[in-house]
Amino acid sequence: MTGLGVLAFGDSITNGGGELQWGVALQSWALWVARGLALPFTSYAVDGARVEDVVERQIRAFERLTGGDPRFQVGCLYIGVNDVRSPDWDAVAFEARFRTALRFLSARCERVLTVTAPLDLGRPLAADKVDALDAVIERVAGEVSALVLDLRPWGARNLVMTDHVHPTAFGQIDIAERALAVLERDGVRVLVHPSRMIVYSPSWRERLKGDVTYAYRHAKVSARAAWLQAMVGRT
């Protein structure tokens, strides 16, 4: 492969950052992918971004700063989580912009990797809208021969925060491991797996504290989701 490394667009999941998890830093899954491939990493991901932000801000920033000509080995695009959780979700409008973003990456990267959203997304659940989002992602990826990391069944207590949206530090690493497996099946040589780059050894007190904190935060999120659903039911 030849190029400038890994290029990423997206929202807070790709931007990374947040609480340590047993001393392990919360870093972007795309950054872990770059580290696993021993490649430089360039990201334009921004917290809270939606697909229009990728097209109208992130891509334009890339063009403004680089001239739009650089070539990369791998392009990463994970977007749609904020879109599908919004009351104004529009699958048709999303598809048009998503196609623009994926084609932009495909024209500048040897390989492009995009990601579907977990079905167990958010509280209250995004429900059937996630199916529509993932169908768009897979359809457009097929049009431009992009690789797809399927996260529809993804999620676990230690991988996802209590909002059921944002990955934990270990969740980011797990996504990266899965992404690297997709790339490896497509002929990319993986030099090191992210799970081998970290060291952690929590005590039983730290594990107990983590469990209690998670239970408390999860209860708050669940209570708020139930209240929101009740309010919607009254309208």
Side-chain angles (χ1 to χ4, degrees), residues 7 23 33 36 47 52 54 57 63 67 71 73 78 98 109-110 121 124 139 147 150 166 171 192 195-196 201 230:
L7 172 64
V33 165
D47 292 1
E52 60 261 35
V54 173
R57 293 183 176 87
E63 291 176 324
R71 295 296 185 267
Q73 284 99 325
Y78 188 5
F98 184 76
C109 305
E110 290 185 26
L121 179 67
R139 179 166 57 252
L147 302 172
D150 186 7
H166 295 92
V192 60
S195 58
R196 297 185 179 181
S201 182

Side-chain angles (χ1 to χ4, degrees), residues 12-55:
S12 60
I13 295 174
T14 300
N15 192 28
E19 295 181 1
L20 296 175
Q21 189 173 10
W22 293 337
V24 177
L26 201 165
Q27 301 183 63
S28 165
W29 66 275
L31 173 58
W32 282 115
V33 165
R35 294 179 68 183
L37 300 176
L39 293 175
F41 179 61
T42 302
S43 176
Y44 289 83
V46 176
D47 292 1
R50 296 172 60 171
V51 71
E52 60 261 35
D53 297 304
V54 173
V55 173

Side-chain angles (χ1 to χ4, degrees), residues 138-188:
E138 290 198 315
R139 179 166 57 252
V140 177
E143 292 175 6
V144 300
S145 299
L147 302 172
V148 178
L149 168 57
D150 186 7
L151 286 188
R152 277 176 291 197
W154 187 80
R157 148 78 175 84
N158 67 324
L159 301 181
V160 187
M161 295 183 186
T162 53
D163 62 2
H164 291 266
V165 174
H166 295 92
T168 62
F170 291 157
Q172 292 279 13
I173 291 170
D174 187 73
I175 294 174
E177 294 270 2
R178 294 167 184 263
L180 286 167
V182 172
L183 289 166
E184 194 167 36
R185 287 195 292 271
D186 197 55
V188 178

Side-chain angles (χ1 to χ4, degrees), residues 30-136:
L31 173 58
W32 282 115
V33 165
R35 294 179 68 183
L37 300 176
L39 293 175
F41 179 61
T42 302
S43 176
Y44 289 83
V46 176
D47 292 1
R50 296 172 60 171
V51 71
E52 60 261 35
D53 297 304
V54 173
V55 173
E56 298 170 10
R57 293 183 176 87
Q58 296 177 30
I59 287 177
R60 289 182 182 179
F62 172 87
E63 291 176 324
R64 183 174 65 255
L65 293 171
T66 68
D69 293 329
R71 295 296 185 267
F72 291 78
Q73 284 99 325
V74 178
C76 296
L77 176 62
Y78 188 5
I79 197 69
V81 168
N82 293 315
D83 301 77
V84 81
R85 296 176 64 238
S86 173
D88 64 355
W89 160 250
D90 184 334
V92 174
F94 176 88
E95 180 167 350
R97 294 188 177 108
F98 184 76
R99 182 176 288 107
T100 297
L102 212 59
R103 284 178 174 172
F104 182 88
L105 279 172
S106 296
R108 290 158 182 82
C109 305
E110 290 185 26
R111 288 176 175 83
V112 174
L113 175 71
T114 190
V115 188
T116 60
L119 295 177
D120 185 19
L121 179 67
R123 292 296 184 272
L125 281 169
D128 293 341
K129 293 190 292 183
V130 180
D131 282 325
L133 168 68
D134 291 342
V136 168

